[in-house]
Amino acid sequence: MPTVATLSCLLIIGFWLRVHNLGTLGLIVDEGHQALAVTAILNQGYPVVPSGRAYAWNLPYIYMQSFTALIFGVNEFSLRLPGVLFNLASI
Protein backbone atom coordinates (compact mmCIF):
# COMPACT_ATOMS: atom_id res chain seq x y z
CA MET A 1 0.00 0.00 0.00
CA PRO A 2 2.77 2.58 0.72
CA THR A 3 4.29 1.87 -2.69
CA VAL A 4 1.00 2.55 -4.46
CA ALA A 5 0.47 5.76 -2.50
CA THR A 6 4.01 6.94 -3.24
CA LEU A 7 3.70 6.14 -6.94
CA SER A 8 0.31 7.88 -7.09
CA CYS A 9 1.73 11.00 -5.46
CA LEU A 10 4.66 11.02 -7.86
CA LEU A 11 2.33 10.66 -10.86
CA ILE A 12 0.15 13.52 -9.64
CA ILE A 13 3.16 15.75 -9.03
CA GLY A 14 4.61 14.78 -12.43
CA PHE A 15 1.30 15.54 -14.14
CA TRP A 16 1.08 18.94 -12.47
CA LEU A 17 4.65 19.85 -13.38
CA ARG A 18 4.07 18.88 -17.02
CA VAL A 19 0.66 20.56 -17.40
CA HIS A 20 1.47 23.76 -15.51
CA ASN A 21 2.28 26.44 -18.13
CA LEU A 22 1.96 23.88 -20.94
CA GLY A 23 0.49 26.40 -23.35
CA THR A 24 2.67 29.42 -22.57
CA LEU A 25 5.39 28.68 -25.14
CA GLY A 26 4.40 29.23 -28.77
CA LEU A 27 4.36 26.48 -31.37
CA ILE A 28 7.84 25.20 -32.14
CA VAL A 29 9.48 22.85 -34.65
CA ASP A 30 6.75 20.78 -36.37
CA GLU A 31 3.88 21.76 -34.05
CA GLY A 32 2.71 24.29 -36.63
CA HIS A 33 2.26 21.52 -39.18
CA GLN A 34 0.49 19.43 -36.57
CA ALA A 35 -1.85 22.36 -35.85
CA LEU A 36 -2.68 22.59 -39.56
CA ALA A 37 -3.32 18.82 -39.72
CA VAL A 38 -5.49 18.92 -36.58
CA THR A 39 -7.51 21.83 -37.97
CA ALA A 40 -8.02 19.87 -41.20
CA ILE A 41 -9.19 16.82 -39.23
CA LEU A 42 -11.70 18.92 -37.35
CA ASN A 43 -12.96 20.53 -40.57
CA GLN A 44 -12.68 17.73 -43.14
CA GLY A 45 -12.10 14.51 -41.20
CA TYR A 46 -8.60 13.76 -42.49
CA PRO A 47 -5.21 15.45 -41.99
CA VAL A 48 -4.38 17.41 -45.12
CA VAL A 49 -2.14 20.49 -44.98
CA PRO A 50 -2.77 23.58 -47.16
CA SER A 51 -0.37 22.28 -49.83
CA GLY A 52 -2.86 19.49 -50.48
CA ARG A 53 -0.66 16.70 -49.15
CA ALA A 54 -1.77 14.38 -46.38
CA TYR A 55 0.07 14.79 -43.11
CA ALA A 56 0.53 11.09 -42.38
CA TRP A 57 3.14 11.33 -39.64
CA ASN A 58 1.96 9.25 -36.67
CA LEU A 59 -1.75 9.26 -37.39
CA PRO A 60 -2.93 7.91 -34.01
CA TYR A 61 -1.14 10.78 -32.27
CA ILE A 62 -2.57 13.38 -34.68
CA TYR A 63 -6.09 12.04 -34.13
CA MET A 64 -5.53 12.13 -30.35
CA GLN A 65 -4.46 15.76 -30.72
CA SER A 66 -7.62 16.46 -32.71
CA PHE A 67 -9.70 14.91 -29.91
CA THR A 68 -8.13 17.20 -27.31
CA ALA A 69 -8.45 20.14 -29.72
CA LEU A 70 -12.15 19.36 -30.02
CA ILE A 71 -12.42 19.78 -26.26
CA PHE A 72 -9.97 22.66 -25.63
CA GLY A 73 -9.71 24.28 -29.06
CA VAL A 74 -6.70 24.30 -31.37
CA ASN A 75 -3.98 25.84 -29.21
CA GLU A 76 -0.60 24.99 -27.71
CA PHE A 77 -2.13 23.31 -24.67
CA SER A 78 -4.37 20.93 -26.62
CA LEU A 79 -1.60 20.00 -29.05
CA ARG A 80 0.82 19.11 -26.24
CA LEU A 81 -1.61 17.42 -23.82
CA PRO A 82 -1.58 14.00 -25.58
CA GLY A 83 2.21 13.90 -25.26
CA VAL A 84 1.91 14.53 -21.53
CA LEU A 85 -0.71 11.79 -21.17
CA PHE A 86 1.35 9.26 -23.15
CA ASN A 87 4.39 10.19 -21.09
CA LEU A 88 2.57 9.55 -17.81
CA ALA A 89 1.07 6.32 -19.16
CA SER A 90 4.55 5.04 -19.97
CA ILE A 91 5.46 5.20 -16.27
Side-chain angles (χ1 to χ4, degrees), residues 18-89:
R18 285 175 177 87
V19 170
H20 184 67
N21 293 328
L22 187 63
T24 56
L25 183 64
L27 297 177
I28 57 173
V29 189
D30 65 338
E31 289 177 335
H33 297 288
Q34 291 175 3
L36 292 172
V38 166
T39 303
I41 288 173
L42 294 176
N43 293 335
Q44 303 167 2
Y46 53 92
V48 63
V49 291
S51 66
R53 300 196 63 172
Y55 188 79
W57 177 86
N58 201 357
L59 288 176
Y61 185 72
I62 295 296
Y63 277 97
M64 180 63 85
Q65 284 180 320
S66 66
F67 177 72
T68 58
L70 187 63
I71 297 170
F72 299 109
V74 180
N75 55 34
E76 292 86 357
F77 178 83
S78 68
L79 292 175
R80 294 178 182 141
L81 184 61
V84 169
L85 297 177
F86 282 126
N87 185 294
L88 288 175

